[in-house]
Amino acid sequence: MPVTRMQSTGSKSQTMSDRTATVSRLEEVVSTPDEFDQVVLQALPILLDRATASTKRFLRETGQWNDDIEHEKFALRWGSEYLERFLICGRTEVPCRPLFLFDSLVAKQHSKPEPFCYHPDLLRPLGRFLDGLAARAVISRDALIALFHHAYGWGPGEVIAVTGLNGVESQRIYKNFRRWRESGWQRTMDEMGLTKTELAELGNQQQRHRQRFNSEAERLIRVAQAHYRKSEPDHYPCLSRSQWGEMFTQGYGCDYRIWHLALCLDCMQTAWGLGSSGSNVGEKPRLELQVRP
Amino acid sequence: MGQEEDLELYRSRLLESLNSRSSRFPQGVSDPIQVYVNERRVGELEGAGIGAMLQVQCVEHIDTVQLRTEEGVLLGGLAAPEHGFRTDRLRISTDAIELCVHNRAQGGTLSALFIPAPSFWGRAWKSIAEIGDRLVAHRPDTAPAYGMRMVAFTQVLLAIAVVGLVADRVPTWMPPERMPSPVVQTASLPASPPTETARLEQQLTEVARIQAKIGEALASQQNGIVQLHQAMAKLSSNQESMASGVVTVKEEVKEELEKRLEAIGRDADRATRHIASKGRVEQEQLEATIHTLTADNDRLSKEVAGLEEHNQTLKAKLQTTVVSTSKAVDPGPERLLKMADSIQATQQAPFLFWVTFSEGTSQESIDQWVNGMKGHKGVLNEGWQEVRIVPPPVPPDRFLEQIRGDKIIKAARINQ
Ligand SMILES: [Zn+2]
Ligand SMILES: [Zn+2]
């Protein structure tokens, strides 16, 4: 059973010959999606290690590697990201040889201009936390909406007011918040490899040196946002106040507002007060990082 | 050191979450499904919506399509071939999503269609008229002013055509005679005595039934073509190191394939014209055609399988084969869609114009007016209603003059 083998955590308990057999099975042609699933699910540890090694190699070759646990985690994280996409998309590529297909998928990822958001400071706990939030926001609407909370401490009502949403959209925001609190946040922390100790330490720093903590967070979140904004729909660019104003008053660009404002500190300042929060235009919002959901 | 343990723990946690992916699948989808092309979000599909559909046209080639829940769970997706088609049907409990990607030299298109569980269908067909509005409502926000590189759009007529074809290709949960016919639902019947109407309806049902069969046959041809594309792409990809020594592809295999594809094209054309010209169709003849098509398809698939087997030897020259075969193959789905159009409108290119209605005109009389012209409503934009009809017998200007004379019309124009 692949599961038992996996739960006994991986390479050490797996004998060499076992591994060789699995690898050679991966090299053979699979011809149906079911067969693909079966072969690939048995080989998850091998494939994860393979993608991780390849990511490490890429980082080394591009001068972004350092021999420490942060870099190891980074490579692992992206390895597993690639593997997840492979599990879903690979099965539509049958007939194929899974191992070669996987290698080419990883190679394709690494041939993109900026395959991931790499910055040495983003590898430390605070950076990893922010990178994780922004990366997740790209693939999860729950996480996207949660960014408003983590950056400014807002609840659903404030998010709705600030982005000027209508009734139907508002309901979704409440749902997004709820799911994020229930499971989304924890899952994101797990996937970023943030431990309880690290999260507690972040909370401590926040309490003891609030200002320094927030200004460091602002510096890092800008790096992450700039990278992940590239995956916005249609490449939504930053707008001027009058352009934002037009969008708010005419009521279009709902998605634009949500996506871009969540991922752009500057535009949040620019568009401040245009939503139905217009009446309580107080001070412009400042980054006030929240660690907990 | 604790660090190594920490890393090992992280690794096993990632593995665990990869392994338990499938158990995290939602029971059914009520929230919109996020659609990503090349890992960029392009829009969403209304999960609970009936016949919700998203059409995306990209300037770039489409490499991957991914569907995710709002939580970010990857529900499914596909890797698109460099050139040609790929379709995939993704099941989410009892619902399904049909994905179809077509890559061409000038970019790619994706259509994603939500197909609800069978119980939805009764309601679905009743509300097909509303689909238009709904699609418009779900059109992703686009802001044309800001130099976008990807355009997401939906089209009512196209959606209806595709809904029809897809529905016809889903025979498992509904016997064919109960299959609601898109033609009957969307084509408007002229006001006529009840018996006449009944007779017409019967004829239309018959046509729809035959259309379903042709749709199926064409779809399976399409499948053959998709397989062919896939096989070619696989063979030419650099998965294995090149065998030394150039081996020649048997030209006759290539030619034979092309001939056959051409023949398929001709048959499909013939069938289409046949339906278009006559309200009633000689079934045996058509069925015979369909049988030939199907048999052809089987043979094609076998040949594709044969090609697979010999991939080592065939590889060297396949690059060129891919190009020329795809060229021969290309018009397939366009033809499918056109056929659906022609059945609905007995005409290939619809005539498109925009109107606004006089104040206080009820939705009912608008619909009546559109129906009276055997038209379809398109999008509504700042009060202007897009309407598609069979091209009128008079020049466009004259035609506009004529409809401006209608009581409920306030203004009419050709361009948006
Ligand atoms: Zn901005
Ligand atoms: Zn093509």
Side-chain angles (χ1 to χ4, degrees):
Chain A
M1 271 296 283
V3 183
T4 27
R5 188 185 296 156
M6 250 190 44
Q7 277 166 352
S8 62
T9 49
S11 48
K12 273 172 253 166
S13 58
Q14 203 175 355
T15 67
M16 207 52 194
S17 68
D18 239 6
R19 212 175 158 93
T20 319
T22 316
V23 170
S24 58
R25 182 68 194 92
L26 283 170
E27 286 172 342
E28 284 160 27
V29 174
V30 298
S31 35
T32 66
D34 287 344
E35 198 187 337
F36 178 91
D37 290 346
Q38 193 199 336
V39 169
V40 166
L41 282 175
Q42 276 178 25
L44 287 181
I46 289 172
L47 291 170
L48 178 61
D49 293 346
R50 200 172 170 96
T52 306
S54 164
T55 306
K56 266 164 96 163
R57 208 175 317 122
F58 172 81
L59 289 167
R60 258 199 205 103
E61 283 163 6
T62 50
Q64 300 176 310
W65 181 258
N66 210 3
D67 269 319
D68 56 30
I69 186 170
E70 284 83 14
H71 282 77
E72 296 281 356
K73 277 191 170 180
F74 186 80
L76 253 176
R77 172 187 157 210
W78 284 100
S80 106
E81 194 77 32
Y82 300 150
L83 185 48
E84 186 187 26
R85 293 173 200 168
F86 174 67
L87 290 179
I88 286 293
C89 291
R91 63 199 308 281
T92 65
E93 295 251 46
V94 292
C96 66
R97 297 167 195 269
L99 194 66
F100 300 114
L101 186 65
F102 186 52
D103 284 350
S104 74
L105 181 141
V106 174
K108 218 179 198 175
Q109 292 287 342
H110 289 156
S111 68
K112 290 181 179 174
E114 276 173 87
F116 29 63
C117 186
Y118 178 88
H119 189 290
D121 293 346
L122 290 181
L123 299 179
R124 292 202 297 271
L126 178 60
R128 209 147 18 102
F129 176 76
L130 293 166
D131 183 25
L133 285 185
R136 193 77 197 166
V138 168
I139 56 168
S140 156
R141 205 186 128 105
D142 293 350
L144 182 77
I145 302 300
L147 267 183
F148 288 108
H149 163 77
H150 287 287
Y152 308 105
W154 295 336
E158 284 156 300
V159 173
I160 291 162
V162 168
T163 52
L165 297 182
N166 62 32
V168 186
E169 285 288 334
S170 312
Q171 297 223 324
R172 268 174 91 184
I173 302 286
Y174 282 96
K175 259 193 186 174
N176 293 132
F177 261 87
R178 202 188 58 231
R179 272 191 305 244
W180 180 252
R181 280 193 199 116
E182 280 168 9
S183 59
W185 180 81
Q186 189 57 55
R187 183 184 302 163
T188 306
M189 296 304 112
D190 287 348
E191 279 174 11
M192 293 307 293
L194 278 157
T195 60
K196 283 201 169 71
T197 331
E198 285 171 326
L199 287 167
E201 177 52 26
L202 284 182
N204 280 341
Q205 285 173 30
Q206 182 187 31
Q207 297 208 316
R208 273 180 286 135
H209 315 282
R210 187 164 214 99
Q211 210 157 20
R212 202 201 307 157
F213 182 78
N214 280 327
S215 67
E216 176 68 355
E218 181 172 337
R219 183 176 74 84
L220 294 177
I221 205 172
R222 280 178 188 280
V223 178
Q225 285 187 337
H227 176 86
Y228 292 107
R229 265 211 304 280
K230 285 182 203 133
S231 39
E232 282 185 354
D234 304 332
H235 231 136
Y236 294 162
C238 295
L239 300 179
S240 68
R241 176 143 177 113
S242 65
Q243 285 171 318
W244 281 117
E246 205 182 294
M247 203 185 277
F248 273 87
T249 48
Q250 294 185 16
Y252 65 92
C254 219
D255 266 15
Y256 200 145
R257 281 176 266 161
I258 293 176
W259 273 78
H260 192 88
L261 295 179
L263 286 167
C264 185
L265 291 181
D266 291 332
C267 282
M268 179 52 93
Q269 302 268 324
T270 309
W272 179 244
L274 291 170
S276 52
S277 63
S279 48
N280 63 11
V281 215
E283 256 179 80
K284 287 189 175 178
R286 302 243 318 268
L287 189 93
E288 197 58 60
L289 192 71
Q290 314 290 315
V291 179
R292 300 277 153 188
Chain B
M1 267 285 293
Q3 281 204 342
E4 203 153 300
E5 276 166 35
D6 184 15
L7 192 64
E8 188 52 40
L9 193 72
Y10 182 41
R11 178 176 174 275
S12 54
R13 189 173 287 156
L14 290 173
L15 278 172
E16 212 173 284
S17 102
L18 284 167
N19 211 37
S20 64
R21 275 183 30 81
S22 49
S23 60
R24 287 210 307 250
F25 271 31
Q27 286 304 302
V29 184
S30 56
D31 294 311
I33 294 161
Q34 314 289 309
V35 182
Y36 293 78
V37 167
N38 300 347
E39 279 150 37
R40 185 149 6 119
R41 185 176 167 280
V42 294
E44 54 192 37
L45 263 184
E46 183 73 12
I50 292 156
M53 155 143 182
L54 181 73
Q55 266 253 335
V56 182
Q57 198 164 44
C58 301
V59 179
E60 303 151 350
H61 265 201
I62 294 178
D63 288 328
T64 58
V65 177
Q66 289 166 354
L67 303 175
R68 292 181 185 270
T69 62
E70 296 207 350
E71 289 163 282
V73 177
L74 191 52
L75 290 172
L78 60 76
E82 230 156 85
H83 190 91
F85 296 92
R86 183 159 297 163
T87 57
D88 195 37
R89 170 176 292 245
L90 161 75
R91 298 207 169 276
I92 303 164
S93 117
T94 56
D95 303 325
I97 292 172
E98 176 119 336
L99 293 176
C100 177
V101 173
H102 184 197
N103 270 328
R104 293 173 238 241
Q106 322 87 309
T109 51
L110 158 73
S111 54
L113 176 70
F114 185 83
I115 306 164
S119 58
F120 277 84
W121 280 106
R123 266 182 291 152
W125 293 106
K126 249 179 260 151
S127 58
I128 199 157
E130 293 160 36
I131 285 181
D133 305 332
R134 221 170 282 175
L135 284 171
V136 175
H138 293 149
R139 192 163 46 165
D141 296 305
T142 49
Y146 312 115
M148 66 177 119
R149 298 172 27 214
M150 207 179 276
V151 190
F153 66 91
T154 49
Q155 271 182 356
V156 178
L157 189 64
L158 182 67
I160 291 172
V162 175
V163 168
L165 285 172
V166 170
D168 294 345
R169 274 155 50 196
V170 193
T172 37
W173 22 261
M174 198 176 267
E177 56 278 356
R178 277 184 50 222
M179 194 112 65
S181 134
V183 177
V184 172
Q185 300 293 333
T186 55
S188 56
L189 296 168
S192 44
T195 48
E196 180 68 5
T197 310
R199 200 178 59 80
L200 271 172
E201 241 165 21
Q202 205 190 343
Q203 279 182 8
L204 278 167
T205 314
E206 206 161 29
V207 172
R209 209 168 59 78
I210 291 155
Q211 177 229 4
K213 283 200 180 149
I214 294 193
E216 252 171 58
L218 282 179
S220 75
Q221 289 300 341
Q222 210 52 57
N223 247 329
I225 289 161
V226 168
Q227 279 173 27
L228 191 66
H229 264 295
Q230 274 178 2
M232 298 290 191
K234 281 292 123 58
L235 289 169
S236 61
S237 78
N238 48 4
Q239 290 193 355
E240 295 146 296
S241 62
M242 276 286 238
S244 58
V246 180
V247 191
T248 332
V249 175
K250 290 169 210 145
E251 271 300 311
E252 72 265 25
V253 173
K254 186 188 137 195
E255 274 168 22
E256 180 61 24
L257 280 173
E258 280 179 346
K259 252 189 259 160
R260 198 145 311 159
L261 288 165
E262 259 180 56
I264 292 166
R266 272 199 311 275
D267 286 349
D269 266 354
R270 209 167 50 219
T272 310
R273 268 201 305 277
H274 200 68
I275 285 199
S277 60
K278 288 188 168 191
R280 198 112 139 280
V281 188
E282 288 83 9
Q283 285 182 29
E284 287 95 347
Q285 213 182 323
L286 263 173
E287 274 165 10
T289 315
I290 289 161
H291 274 138
T292 349
L293 287 174
T294 320
D296 258 357
N297 185 51
D298 286 344
R299 248 173 289 141
L300 251 179
S301 322
K302 277 194 197 111
E303 278 177 23
V304 170
L307 277 172
E308 275 292 357
E309 267 173 38
H310 291 104
N311 63 3
Q312 300 276 358
T313 42
L314 290 177
K315 200 187 310 146
K317 269 209 169 173
L318 267 173
Q319 205 65 42
T320 45
T321 319
V322 170
V323 174
S324 50
T325 324
S326 333
K327 270 186 201 139
V329 164
D330 232 351
E334 282 85 342
R335 198 176 285 136
L336 255 162
L337 289 178
K338 264 196 204 130
M339 191 186 72
D341 275 0
S342 67
I343 287 167
Q344 290 186 348
T346 19
Q347 185 72 30
Q348 305 231 325
F351 175 73
L352 210 155
F353 63 96
W354 296 80
V355 287
T356 54
F357 297 98
S358 317
E359 250 81 63
T361 308
S362 71
Q363 196 55 44
E364 206 183 343
S365 40
I366 290 175
D367 289 345
Q368 243 168 34
W369 182 81
V370 175
N371 281 342
M373 304 217 288
K374 299 191 185 179
H376 296 280
K377 284 196 289 183
V379 297
L380 189 64
N381 189 3
E382 293 171 312
W384 287 88
Q385 172 69 56
E386 186 189 9
V387 180
R388 286 150 194 274
I389 57 163
V390 175
V394 295
D397 287 347
R398 276 275 305 284
F399 172 74
L400 284 187
E401 279 309 314
Q402 282 174 11
I403 60 168
R404 281 186 194 121
D406 287 345
K407 237 193 299 171
I408 67 166
I409 297 299
K410 193 162 123 197
R413 62 185 186 195
I414 302 280
N415 298 314
Q416 188 172 356

